[in-house]
Amino acid sequence: MLFANLFGKKKSPAPPSRQDKGIMIFAHTSDVIWAEELIRKAGWQIRVMGPPAEIQKGCDLVIEFPLIEQMNILRLLAAEGVTPTDVVPVTSPLLTPVDLFHTKDFGDYLMVRAANMKMTVRKQDLTIVNISGGGCPDVPYLAEQLTGQKLPEAIPPRETGHTLCGYALQLAYEELTRQCLS
């Protein structure tokens, strides 16, 4: 420590570079959901995000992954029959995937939007007060099941929803849980 003080400031580690990331594009949302589960189970750190405008094709979700693991991840997915339509290294800011989450604080209420689905909780007691968005057939059922439930006790939407909207609502639920209970 003394030497560090004598010879100058210790450099902080460089922020993670986007250039070590790649994105996988899939034709169908169900492929993204399946691939996400497989990759996470194998222990890799990934993020499901929105595709950058320059490469929007297929479904509205992409998986951002560590580029150095590309061959291993593709091998894993191929063994399970899930193949991305394209794999693109993130080489420029224009190819950066967009965050799916938008948080809005209304004072007593906190809303998280993930893709097209929104979940709102009353901050005082973490009661889910509103589910909105999407046009999938399971949204009314999910809204009925979740509205009025306490966030930590609610059944995760993934367990009862089976559409893109159910998946997006699960992401909103996880983000609200992270923000409110961490």
Side-chain angles (χ1 to χ4, degrees):
M1 188 69 161
L2 182 59
F3 282 121
N5 289 337
L6 288 175
F7 297 107
K9 287 181 149 182
K10 182 179 177 184
K11 290 184 177 179
S12 59
S17 167
R18 282 254 172 235
Q19 294 189 352
D20 61 350
K21 303 288 184 189
I23 51 177
M24 286 186 262
I25 303 159
F26 294 86
H28 305 287
T29 304
S30 58
D31 291 341
V32 174
I33 295 168
W34 182 232
E36 176 194 19
E37 186 174 329
L38 291 169
I39 297 168
R40 287 191 194 276
K41 268 187 189 172
W44 283 296
Q45 297 289 319
I46 60 169
R47 293 191 310 169
V48 175
M49 305 186 78
E54 286 69 24
I55 59 167
Q56 280 189 340
K57 55 186 173 182
C59 75
D60 292 336
L61 301 170
V62 297
I63 294 178
E64 183 186 67
F65 68 98
L67 201 52
I68 196 166
E69 297 293 343
Q70 179 177 344
M71 293 307 295
N72 291 327
I73 291 173
L74 290 177
R75 197 173 301 128
L76 169 77
L77 295 178
E80 296 294 330
V82 182
T83 306
T85 58
D86 206 354
V87 178
V88 179
V90 179
T91 55
S92 83
L94 295 177
L95 289 178
T96 302
V98 294
D99 199 350
L100 289 178
F101 301 110
H102 298 279
T103 301
K104 181 80 175 178
D105 190 335
F106 294 104
D108 292 337
Y109 300 92
L110 186 65
M111 180 188 78
V112 168
R113 179 170 62 88
N116 61 346
M117 293 301 300
K118 301 177 205 98
M119 181 180 284
T120 306
V121 297
R122 183 174 39 231
K123 290 195 277 186
Q124 177 185 16
D125 59 4
L126 298 181
T127 298
I128 299 169
V129 296
N130 190 38
I131 302 292
S132 61
C136 304
D138 58 350
V139 171
Y141 174 76
L142 290 168
E144 181 185 11
Q145 294 295 308
L146 292 167
T147 303
Q149 299 294 312
K150 304 280 188 204
L151 186 63
E153 300 158 4
I155 297 171
R158 181 177 276 180
E159 292 185 19
T160 54
H162 301 285
T163 62
L164 173 60
C165 299
Y167 177 75
L169 191 58
Q170 174 69 27
L171 296 176
Y173 166 82
E174 290 172 358
E175 180 62 15
L176 266 172
T177 300
R178 186 190 68 75
Q179 290 187 28
C180 296
L181 300 175
S182 297

